[in-house]
Amino acid sequence: MASFASLKSAIFDKEARKQQYQAHIRGLNAYDRHKKFVNDYAGFYGKGQPAQEKLPVKTDQDTLREGYRFIRSEEDDLDPSWEQKLVKRYYDKLFKEYCIADMSQYKSGKIGLRWRVEKEVISGKGQFVCGNKHCNEKDGLASYEESAFSTRLLIFYLLIEIICCMWWIGKKEEIGLEKALRGQKS
């Protein structure tokens, strides 16, 4: 049997810990107090359950980045998955009359092309304003057409029209714009 002194000391220690805990809790704001209570609860009652692992979430934007092709083929339309249906729905909404070009790496012979979206059609980008992504020139525009286009594996024969200011059209001889659009090294 425990002595009176040991019981007194155990009760005193328990009360001291209780007061220290309460003083600590009073010093926290509501959010920190809530987090502490939830963590204490999970630590006490959640021993038998493993913590749920958070799997990476695949968003619609990730799906579009993975599945989008500048030029879609018939094989792309055969896949009935929801990802391909989403990509096709996005592709059908694009305006495929003029292209927008990213010529930021034109010196290395790399030019990125994409179709225009509704916002760009309304603002006139690529038709009444230079089609270069980083240029907003409205005067001295010229049309440049290319009839062949290559992707990583396939070569398509398609008429691609870009409206650019004369400065970029002048650069076409310097950088070999035709070769860049065909995907060949200059």
Side-chain angles (χ1 to χ4, degrees):
M1 201 174 262
S3 69
F4 180 71
S6 66
L7 284 174
K8 183 178 172 185
S9 128
I11 293 172
F12 180 75
D13 289 343
K14 185 177 180 182
E15 283 297 315
R17 283 195 305 271
K18 183 178 174 184
Q19 287 177 354
Q20 182 182 11
Y21 181 76
Q22 287 176 349
H24 174 68
I25 294 298
R26 285 187 198 118
L28 298 175
N29 63 24
Y31 178 70
D32 291 336
R33 197 168 42 242
H34 170 75
K35 284 189 347 187
K36 177 162 180 37
F37 287 152
V38 168
N39 286 338
D40 290 348
Y41 178 82
F44 185 75
Y45 291 108
K47 292 180 181 177
Q49 302 172 356
Q52 290 182 346
E53 295 180 21
K54 291 186 178 181
L55 299 175
V57 177
K58 185 175 181 182
T59 63
D60 290 346
Q61 188 174 15
D62 296 335
T63 302
L64 287 175
R65 278 197 187 114
E66 289 174 8
Y68 178 76
R69 302 287 177 261
F70 182 68
I71 301 172
R72 289 183 61 88
S73 64
E74 292 84 23
E75 291 86 26
D76 294 333
D77 295 337
L78 295 177
D79 188 8
S81 66
W82 70 269
E83 291 98 348
Q84 285 301 320
K85 288 179 183 177
L86 178 71
V87 171
K88 180 166 177 18
R89 197 173 325 129
Y90 175 74
Y91 184 79
D92 290 340
K93 288 183 181 181
L94 297 174
F95 294 84
K96 298 170 202 73
E97 186 177 357
Y98 298 103
C99 289
I100 301 294
D102 184 3
M103 298 186 196
S104 59
Q105 297 183 8
Y106 74 94
K107 290 182 180 177
S108 62
K110 296 179 182 176
I111 296 175
L113 296 175
R114 64 175 175 83
W115 298 116
R116 298 187 303 163
V117 293
E118 183 179 10
K119 181 179 166 185
E120 293 166 333
V121 171
I122 292 169
S123 70
K125 182 74 172 170
Q127 185 175 5
F128 304 115
V129 180
C130 181
N132 182 12
K133 182 179 173 183
H134 305 290
C135 181
N136 292 320
E137 185 68 35
K138 294 181 180 179
D139 299 325
L141 299 178
S143 175
Y144 180 75
E145 295 180 353
E146 181 63 38
S147 60
F149 179 78
S150 69
T151 60
R152 294 179 193 144
L153 302 173
L154 302 171
I155 296 178
F156 296 96
Y157 292 98
L158 175 73
L159 183 65
I160 298 171
E161 188 170 5
I162 306 169
I163 305 290
C164 291
C165 59
M166 293 306 289
W167 190 81
W168 285 107
I169 295 294
K171 289 287 183 184
K172 114 179 135 114
E173 286 85 24
E174 179 185 326
I175 62 170
L177 190 58
E178 296 91 353
K179 288 182 182 178
L181 285 174
R182 286 191 183 115
Q184 300 170 356
K185 303 257 184 197
S186 53

